[in-house]
Amino acid sequence: MINNTYNYLLSDLKKLKGVGAKTYNILKKKKINNIFDLLWRLPKSFTDRSESTKIKNLKIGEIQTITLIPYKYNFPRIRNLPNKVYCKDDTGEMECIFFNSYEGYIKKILPLNKEVTVSGKIGQFRNKYQITNPKYVSEDASLIKNKHNKYSLTEGISEKVYNKIINQILTNLPILEEWHNNNIVTKFNNISWNKSIIELHKPENVGKYKSNFYKRLAYDEILSTFLVHSEIRKNIKKIKKQKKVFDLTFQKRIFSKLEFNLTNDQNKSLSEINFDLKSGQKMFRLLQGDVGSGKTIVALCAAANVVKSGFQVALMAPTEILARQHFNLANKIFDKSINLEILSSKTEYSKKKDITKKLKEKKIDIIFSTHSIFQKKIIFNKLGLIIIDEQHKFGVNQRKKLSDKGGDNCDILLMSATPIPRTLTMTIYGDMDLSIIREKPKLRKQVKTYSKPDSKIDEVLKFIQKEIKNENQIFWVCPLIEESKKLDHASAVQKYNFLKKKFPDKVDLLHGKTDTVEKDKILRNFLNQKTKILVSTTIIEVGIDFPNANIIIIENANKFGLSQLHQLRGRVGRGDKQSTCILMFKSSLTENAKKRLNILKSSTDGFKISEEDMKLRGFGDILGFKQSGIKIFKLADPIHHSDLFELAEKEIKYMEKNDIQLNRYKTLMKLYDQADVINDIV
Ligand code: ADP
Ligand code: MG
């Protein structure tokens, strides 16, 4: 019977022959929950057992396949002596040796005077060829004389068992109805899903990511991801909300207080946001722009407009320092007609209670806080906009929850300062509308970037000395030691003590454990230029703005990813002075590390840097997406398959425009996106 439903693929692994409790648990631990999941563990290489060899031609040390006849057993029944089976062919003799095997088993697999095919590594003992504990033994030569896949996932599961499981699945693979239209399948030479999977598991096809079967499967994956995004986007758009009503008077008043004009991209993004706010559809938008591109002012204007239309706003930042900076800026550019408040984990209990009460009574218009406000049961009177700053680590599921959070009338604006390659933006943020600030504010000088080994620290100190004389300020970022926050802390303290001796009264230290009051003081002193050097762990990575700080020293720079270094470097060069970034490293650099530092030295374009980062480290690694629960593709690769991403994007746009229904893609989505988000879609 031809199996033509996908149910088989989604069924439990227990259904498979050869999957006992032990194997089942091993697979479960590897997050392989059903048959479909198993399809993506690909062979890494194979052992070729297909050619058979005569005994006289055997080569010691190699894996060989022999068809032979067992003619005598020797079961010594003495501890430590192995059982032996003497075998021959028409050219010579050899032995199969068994340690710890029962006689019954040996007799069963190697019956006397019958032709048997055996494959294994050839050894030699007292001038005789032998195979020890042969695993590949059968009277049916066709079962042995094959290419046997090697999988890297077989920890605790033998290669033989694993192959048996996979072969069983491939034999029972359902023939599914084609979900792509003709136009698409012809691009892959009409290869079906079923056929593609079979090709994928052929040992000789390992690594053929440019072949039709591979591309088809990669495309399946990309399209299904995009389809989910498209559905989420469409569903959010369907939500009717109360339109926000405001004119641009207040926005103009804010502009008049600024020392600069908005860039074209800032203006464009702000109008896109304003348009969404005024519309009857819920906004779900990402504002993407490199560090220092000026997203904050755009967000604050949008917030003010929402307040002017009678709603409250929640602005959340990843750190308290950043929340406070936004709060301070808002205090500066808004007049008294907008009530602002800041809530942090260290806000005193009575104050917290007061804030909660005021939010409920709508006596606070904009609340600034960290992301943690989410979890809290804070009740707003009339929440109209949630702004989340610097958040690239939200997965689709989290974003969807976020969108549900504020209720129908609440618009959502996410901001991300991580320029990423287009293929990734499509993949990661495809569910959102996008505003991009590419152009950086004019007058901004490029940050000069140098690299220096630790041994030349004296040169760096001399340079700093001079800069301090010129009234400049310095960030000193201490090594990031991922394994241990404690070590991060220790090295920052050490550097602080070292620098304090060289520059008395000019150095301060900021780290994860500094408490809010202290932090405030430290930041204020740095902002007022009382201190000149701020030693810190990577805490300054996100968003904080110190216009007078124009030098950043980054220790152990080779340990950071390119995009992260770029982010750190973005902490300087925010004013109009020339700024400098010095990348320090411990000893000699690897070629790859040199290459990476050179990219950073030669470019300040975040989008370009992230492309390079992706090429060097693979897309999963850049920006820590891996830890973030953001979908990682099984086969599709934003570097090798960028054409497929574009193809899928085009297809989705076409479908959206022509209102094409998803029915035909139901199976695709069921199989590829077993995540929560699609439960209410398909
Ligand atoms: P980010 O996009 O990284 O959040 P910010 O919003 O913090 O960047 O802006 C960085 C700095 O640039 C701030 O000091 C801000 O006042 C300034 N800035 C923003 N827009 C402009 C502009 N159009 N012209 C000049 N400076 C600007
Ligand atoms: Mg910012």
Side-chain angles (χ1 to χ4, degrees):
M1 190 183 77
I2 291 178
N3 188 351
N4 58 3
T5 71
Y6 58 81
N7 292 335
Y8 172 74
L9 295 169
L10 294 182
S11 56
D12 194 80
L13 297 166
K14 284 201 177 115
K15 199 182 166 129
L16 294 166
K17 272 184 220 140
V19 178
K22 182 180 149 231
T23 309
Y24 185 82
N25 288 332
I26 292 172
L27 292 173
K28 276 266 157 161
K29 248 186 221 148
K30 301 252 174 194
K31 295 212 166 75
I32 297 175
N33 294 313
N34 56 34
I35 295 176
F36 185 78
D37 292 342
L38 261 179
L39 294 176
W40 312 103
R41 310 290 142 166
L42 301 185
K44 294 284 176 238
S45 62
F46 58 88
T47 311
D48 193 348
R49 300 180 195 272
S50 55
E51 296 291 326
S52 62
T53 308
K54 291 289 184 187
I55 291 180
K56 73 166 192 213
N57 296 328
L58 286 176
K59 286 195 188 111
I60 293 163
E62 292 190 10
I63 289 175
Q64 306 210 294
T65 304
I66 319 111
T67 297
L68 37 71
I69 296 174
Y71 68 91
K72 195 177 131 192
Y73 298 128
N74 176 7
F75 300 143
R77 289 167 224 270
I78 298 173
R79 265 180 58 164
N80 298 330
L81 278 189
N83 289 331
K84 264 187 205 173
V85 182
Y86 298 100
C87 307
K88 62 181 180 192
D89 72 358
D90 52 2
T91 69
E93 296 199 2
M94 66 176 296
E95 294 163 2
C96 291
I97 308 289
F98 293 86
F99 290 92
N100 307 318
S101 292
Y102 296 110
E103 290 174 22
Y105 166 74
I106 296 171
K107 282 181 179 166
K108 197 175 139 208
I109 62 165
L110 291 171
L112 294 184
N113 303 318
K114 275 197 179 158
E115 207 174 71
V116 178
T117 301
V118 179
S119 182
K121 197 169 178 180
I122 307 299
Q124 199 185 28
F125 187 68
R126 291 196 179 135
N127 268 334
K128 265 201 170 167
Y129 293 122
Q130 54 177 223
I131 295 182
T132 307
N133 288 337
K135 286 201 190 75
Y136 293 84
V137 183
S138 178
E139 290 177 57
D140 181 354
S142 71
L143 291 180
I144 305 290
K145 291 169 78 176
N146 278 320
K147 289 171 176 162
H148 293 258
N149 285 352
K150 276 189 171 165
Y151 293 88
S152 64
L153 189 91
T154 46
E155 222 176 290
I157 306 174
S158 79
E159 193 176 297
K160 197 175 160 194
V161 168
Y162 200 77
N163 270 297
K164 196 172 149 192
I165 296 170
I166 292 291
N167 287 336
Q168 186 186 155
I169 297 174
L170 294 180
T171 313
N172 292 314
L173 208 61
I175 293 173
L176 303 172
E177 205 177 321
E178 183 56 69
W179 42 73
H180 295 303
N181 58 43
N182 285 338
N183 207 349
I184 294 290
V185 278
T186 47
K187 289 195 196 296
F188 306 112
N189 212 7
N190 295 313
I191 192 163
S192 68
W193 181 84
N194 173 290
K195 182 91 197 328
S196 300
I197 293 282
I198 291 182
E199 290 297 315
L200 184 70
H201 281 269
K202 281 192 180 157
E204 61 268 30
N205 282 340
V206 170
K208 287 193 185 162
Y209 53 80
K210 290 277 184 195
S211 6
N212 282 319
F213 71 86
Y214 201 107
K215 281 167 70 174
R216 188 233 141 94
L217 293 172
Y219 182 75
D220 282 337
E221 236 186 311
I222 300 167
L223 189 76
S224 92
T225 304
F226 286 13
L227 282 169
V228 171
H229 287 162
S230 165
E231 279 310 284
I232 296 177
R233 198 157 3 107
K234 276 194 276 180
N235 281 348
I236 290 175
K237 287 255 165 73
K238 268 186 220 148
I239 298 171
K240 292 270 168 295
K241 73 156 199 248
Q242 192 186 327
K243 294 178 183 172
K244 278 148 194 136
V245 184
F246 55 91
D247 61 28
L248 298 181
T249 326
F250 197 74
Q251 189 173 303
K252 278 186 190 143
R253 209 180 302 153
I254 296 173
F255 288 173
S256 70
K257 286 189 194 163
L258 298 176
E259 292 146 9
F260 50 78
N261 293 321
L262 294 205
T263 61
N264 291 334
D265 280 354
Q266 280 174 314
N267 273 319
K268 183 162 171 273
S269 300
L270 183 55
S271 3
E272 284 164 355
I273 294 166
N274 282 342
F275 182 87
D276 284 358
L277 294 173
K278 287 179 177 177
S279 85
Q281 294 176 338
K282 187 179 174 107
M283 171 168 83
F284 195 44
R285 186 173 282 281
L286 176 75
L287 177 59
Q288 193 184 27
D290 208 343
V291 266
S293 60
K295 294 178 295 294
T296 321
I297 190 68
V298 173
L300 287 182
C301 284
N305 289 335
V306 169
V307 171
K308 290 295 159 189
S309 69
F311 285 88
Q312 292 169 293
V313 178
L315 196 155
M316 291 168 239
T319 62
E320 294 185 358
I321 306 179
L322 196 52
R324 188 160 292 277
Q325 186 146 52
H326 293 336
F327 173 69
N328 292 342
L329 179 62
N331 262 317
K332 211 164 90 185
I333 60 174
F334 297 162
D335 59 31
K336 292 276 175 301
S337 68
I338 297 183
N339 294 313
L340 308 173
E341 198 46 87
I342 180 157
L343 186 66
S344 88
S345 62
K346 280 142 199 158
T347 309
E348 275 170 32
Y349 180 74
S350 59
K351 175 83 179 163
K352 235 177 230 171
K353 227 172 115 185
D354 181 52
I355 291 177
T356 317
K357 185 164 163 273
K358 281 182 169 163
L359 278 170
K360 213 167 153 185
E361 291 166 352
K362 203 167 171 286
K363 285 184 180 147
I364 294 170
D365 296 313
I366 308 181
I367 181 86
F368 295 82
S369 75
T370 59
H371 296 153
S372 64
I373 195 179
F374 254 165
Q375 279 92 41
K376 309 235 169 69
K377 286 204 176 67
I378 288 190
I379 300 163
F380 289 84
N381 183 293
K382 206 179 169 196
L383 186 60
L385 173 65
I386 294 177
I387 301 174
I388 308 239
D389 191 19
E390 304 285 355
Q391 186 48 274
H392 62 276
K393 289 182 179 169
F394 272 12
V396 174
N397 280 316
Q398 280 167 296
R399 285 204 294 272
K400 187 157 181 297
K401 271 184 204 138
L402 170 67
S403 145
D404 296 342
K405 191 96 183 175
D408 287 357
N409 282 329
C410 184
D411 290 305
I412 310 282
L413 179 65
L414 285 192
M415 295 200 276
S416 162
T418 46
I420 49 173
R422 232 181 77 80
T423 46
L424 271 191
T425 305
M426 286 190 260
T427 306
I428 295 167
Y429 297 114
D431 54 331
M432 310 189 76
D433 289 315
L434 195 60
S435 292
I436 300 183
I437 309 184
R438 284 226 160 75
E439 162 197 30
K440 293 200 186 157
K442 289 182 202 80
L443 287 177
R444 193 155 289 166
K445 295 204 175 83
Q446 293 227 329
V447 183
K448 281 190 183 153
T449 306
Y450 306 95
S451 57
K452 283 254 180 266
D454 281 356
S455 55
K456 294 196 174 165
I457 191 164
D458 284 345
E459 287 177 26
V460 176
L461 294 176
K462 235 182 247 162
F463 171 72
I464 290 182
Q465 185 101 53
K466 203 179 81 204
E467 292 295 318
I468 292 177
K469 246 186 216 146
N470 292 338
E471 304 282 297
N472 291 327
Q473 286 176 289
I474 296 117
F475 285 118
W476 192 296
V477 183
C478 278
L480 174 100
I481 302 158
E482 292 233 312
E483 300 78 50
S484 161
K485 285 228 163 77
K486 259 191 203 145
L487 285 178
D488 270 0
H489 180 234
S491 73
V493 172
Q494 212 176 19
K495 191 56 68 179
Y496 166 67
N497 288 330
F498 170 79
L499 290 169
K500 208 164 58 171
K501 276 187 207 135
K502 308 256 172 200
F503 306 97
D505 302 327
K506 293 197 166 69
V507 195
D508 234 334
L509 171 66
L510 194 66
H511 54 76
K513 289 175 194 154
T514 321
D515 72 44
T516 323
V517 183
E518 186 64 16
K519 210 176 264 174
D520 257 12
K521 207 175 101 200
I522 292 170
L523 290 179
R524 224 177 310 120
N525 284 342
F526 193 61
L527 207 55
N528 299 336
Q529 305 181 40
K530 278 199 185 122
T531 42
K532 299 294 181 180
I533 304 175
L534 185 61
V535 178
S536 76
T537 52
T538 48
I539 199 161
I540 56 155
E541 185 182 342
V542 255
I544 316 170
D545 198 15
F546 295 94
N548 194 56
N550 65 335
I551 292 157
I552 185 162
I553 318 272
I554 305 172
E555 285 193 53
N556 253 17
N558 48 311
K559 289 277 183 328
F560 292 83
L562 276 186
S563 300
Q564 209 182 2
L565 286 174
H566 175 67
Q567 295 250 314
L568 281 170
R569 179 171 62 178
R571 297 302 123 220
V572 298
R574 295 192 155 213
D576 41 19
K577 285 192 288 191
Q578 177 59 54
S579 44
T580 308
C581 168
I582 301 179
L583 306 167
M584 305 212 42
F585 53 92
K586 277 214 159 23
S587 51
S588 57
L589 289 172
T590 62
E591 276 312 305
N592 189 295
K594 265 185 212 156
K595 220 190 257 171
R596 288 177 24 193
L597 295 188
N598 277 337
I599 291 167
L600 212 75
K601 283 199 258 181
S602 64
S603 175
T604 52
D605 177 346
F607 284 92
K608 191 176 155 211
I609 288 169
S610 70
E611 292 273 354
E612 298 295 334
D613 204 11
M614 181 166 88
K615 279 187 205 145
L616 288 172
R617 299 206 292 159
F619 79 98
D621 274 341
I622 73 166
L623 313 168
F625 280 120
K626 249 183 200 160
Q627 302 92 17
S628 60
I630 282 166
K631 178 168 177 169
I632 300 292
F633 289 119
K634 306 177 209 310
L635 302 184
D637 182 329
I639 304 163
H640 296 310
H641 300 126
S642 59
D643 54 331
L644 300 179
F645 284 78
E646 271 152 37
L647 183 63
E649 191 191 30
K650 244 193 201 148
E651 191 69 10
I652 295 283
K653 278 202 178 128
Y654 176 82
M655 287 168 60
E656 282 180 1
K657 203 166 151 206
N658 296 289
D659 208 12
I660 290 172
Q661 295 306 306
L662 283 185
N663 273 342
R664 66 178 304 154
Y665 298 106
K666 209 168 154 174
T667 306
L668 174 74
M669 290 166 81
K670 273 275 186 213
L671 287 176
Y672 282 79
D673 296 277
Q674 300 155 30
D676 296 351
V677 276
I678 60 146
N679 284 344
D680 28 311
I681 300 173
V682 290

